[in-house]
Amino acid sequence: TVMLSGVFDKDKTFVDMPTSKPVNDVLAAFHKLPANATKAQVAQFVDDNFHPAGYDVIETELEDWTEDPPFLRGVTDPVLRGYGMSVHNQWKQLARRRDPSKLCDGCASSLLATNYTFISPGGSTSREFAYWNTYYINLGLLRSGLYQTAKGVLRNLLDMVRSYGFVPTGGRVYFTDRSGLPLLALMVNDYYQATKDLSFVAEALPLLVKEHEFWDVYRSVNITYTPNSATLSKRQNLGVVTSKVSMLGPDLFSTASSTSSAFTRPENFLADTATAKTKLASPQLFSTAQNSGSLYAASEAGTMPSVQYANRTTAEVGPSLFSTANRRRSLDIPTTNPFASFTHDQLLVLGSIGINDTAA
């Protein structure tokens, strides 16, 4: 109702707004709205029952902040130093902490609980951590010598694995039905290479194994290729493996979550609804979408960083890619090789198989 009313220009605004009253009170107020509530009535309901988006997120200082980042030591050119410091100073602009202290008892928020400072990716709607972005954020923090902040950022992600078995796409409740490329182990390794903090590696290892098991069980698909046969999750190049499984795994989400239907993405509600109603996606993009549920599933699968609609690179890849992607919650897992119909060039575009390998 709120989304369709047109109160907000961006769907993510509303789903990031914590309630200003206990949830039961908000629901009671919602049920009092007339069946054909006007935009003004909906706007008043929102004003009366919700805090602004980001109300429970605050800017925070970095305890390990330094005005002398390692990457600028030895740089004497004033222009280069000035540019480097302008980049370094961005960390202070992006550092955030969760602050539920202003919320009432019984109030609700879509923000996932985090115990440490996180770095927002930036942008007007980014008010939480983002898994994919955090890989690069971690590299930047380490280059800036902000090792304590980097450790806290990683601990937030490890806590997600502890709670959910994997790291959600972002730090919101509505992201907990999907993940991104499993880069957490690489992040921990990058941190160790920079700090030699072996005790932190020992702390992280059980949770890294737990995340790997999630992907091994719920995101793996077996293929046969020449000259060897292998399981994707056992391949040496982790970047290739995760791209391949994330994009084309026939059951892209775990069977544990397959009992729930595919719905619109809360943070992109209007766009998904419009796509389902008008089929603006075109038959080329969702060639096997037989209903809104499978189309929504494909749309959600397309938010994974390594997918990002490969038909922008080659139109031939698009239909097959999304024919498979929109099956990601189906219980009918194909027993045939889902890559068999791809040409060698298409496989290279998808980053699925090495240059010297051929799909059987």
Side-chain angles (χ1 to χ4, degrees):
T1 299
V2 174
M3 298 292 199
L4 294 174
S5 70
V7 171
F8 299 104
D9 293 332
K10 297 179 179 178
D11 296 336
K12 195 173 184 298
T13 301
F14 179 62
V15 293
D16 287 359
M17 297 173 69
T19 63
S20 57
K21 300 175 183 176
V23 172
N24 288 339
D25 293 349
V26 176
L27 291 174
F30 175 75
H31 290 307
K32 291 179 181 179
L33 284 173
N36 297 314
T38 65
K39 181 177 179 179
Q41 289 173 318
V42 174
Q44 189 62 54
F45 161 75
V46 172
D47 288 343
D48 291 343
N49 293 279
F50 292 86
H51 290 299
Y55 182 78
D56 49 350
V57 178
I58 59 172
E59 295 182 1
T60 187
E61 294 184 359
L62 300 175
E63 296 179 5
D64 55 346
W65 176 254
T66 174
E67 295 289 345
D68 183 30
F71 72 91
L72 284 180
R73 292 167 190 167
V75 177
T76 58
D77 184 287
V79 175
L80 292 179
R81 283 195 64 83
Y83 174 74
M85 280 304 298
S86 69
V87 173
H88 180 64
N89 284 330
Q90 291 301 309
W91 297 125
K92 294 190 290 186
Q93 307 302 318
L94 299 173
R96 300 287 187 273
R97 266 189 177 273
R98 170 177 171 264
D99 179 23
S101 63
K102 296 182 289 185
L103 300 183
C104 69
D105 291 338
C107 284
S109 170
S110 64
L111 190 68
L112 296 181
T114 51
N115 297 313
Y116 303 91
T117 294
F118 62 88
I119 304 296
S120 166
S124 60
T125 61
S126 295
R127 308 175 186 93
E128 65 283 322
F129 74 79
Y131 189 13
W132 168 254
N133 302 71
T134 301
Y135 173 72
Y136 298 100
I137 288 169
N138 184 57
L139 292 176
L141 290 171
L142 296 175
R143 291 297 297 273
S144 285
L146 302 178
Y147 304 125
Q148 181 180 337
T149 299
K151 181 188 282 190
V153 166
L154 295 179
R155 278 183 168 153
N156 283 333
L157 301 188
L158 291 167
D159 286 343
M160 294 298 119
V161 179
R162 186 179 286 108
S163 297
Y164 300 101
F166 62 95
V167 182
T169 298
R172 293 281 172 181
V173 170
Y174 50 78
F175 286 136
T176 56
D177 64 348
R178 50 195 132 138
S179 185
L181 304 184
L183 297 171
L184 184 53
L186 292 180
M187 296 185 214
V188 171
N189 179 62
D190 290 332
Y191 174 82
Y192 171 73
Q193 295 300 329
T195 65
K196 304 305 177 186
D197 185 353
L198 192 58
S199 63
F200 178 68
V201 176
E203 171 191 330
L205 184 58
L207 293 168
L208 296 179
V209 171
K210 185 175 182 179
E211 186 192 32
H212 175 79
E213 288 174 346
F214 172 83
W215 283 84
D216 189 53
V217 173
Y218 298 119
R219 297 295 191 278
S220 292
V221 56
N222 294 327
I223 64 166
T224 302
Y225 68 97
T226 305
N228 299 304
S229 296
T231 302
L232 294 184
S233 60
K234 303 300 188 295
R235 295 194 62 182
Q236 293 180 349
N237 188 329
L238 187 60
V240 171
V241 171
T242 52
S243 293
K244 191 173 183 180
V245 176
S246 294
M247 289 192 293
L248 297 170
D251 190 18
L252 205 56
F253 274 56
S254 72
T255 52
S257 66
S258 62
T259 54
S260 60
S261 302
F263 297 105
T264 55
R265 293 166 291 169
E267 80 282 9
N268 214 36
F269 180 88
L270 286 179
D272 285 354
T273 302
T275 298
K277 288 183 176 180
T278 64
K279 298 187 178 179
L280 291 175
S282 82
Q284 286 75 27
L285 187 56
F286 298 113
S287 57
T288 63
Q290 300 299 316
N291 53 56
S292 294
S294 61
L295 190 146
Y296 294 149
S299 297
E300 190 173 275
T303 64
M304 296 212 173
S306 62
V307 179
Q308 295 302 319
Y309 304 108
N311 63 335
R312 292 184 303 180
T313 305
T314 168
E316 294 178 322
V317 172
S320 299
L321 171 61
F322 283 90
S323 297
T324 309
N326 66 30
R327 292 200 306 269
R328 69 176 190 21
R329 282 187 179 172
S330 171
L331 292 178
D332 300 324
I333 300 177
T335 56
T336 57
N337 176 8
F339 306 103
S341 62
F342 288 100
T343 67
H344 185 259
D345 288 342
Q346 289 171 338
L347 289 170
L348 294 181
V349 170
L350 292 172
S352 301
I353 294 180
I355 290 177
N356 297 319
D357 299 329
T358 340

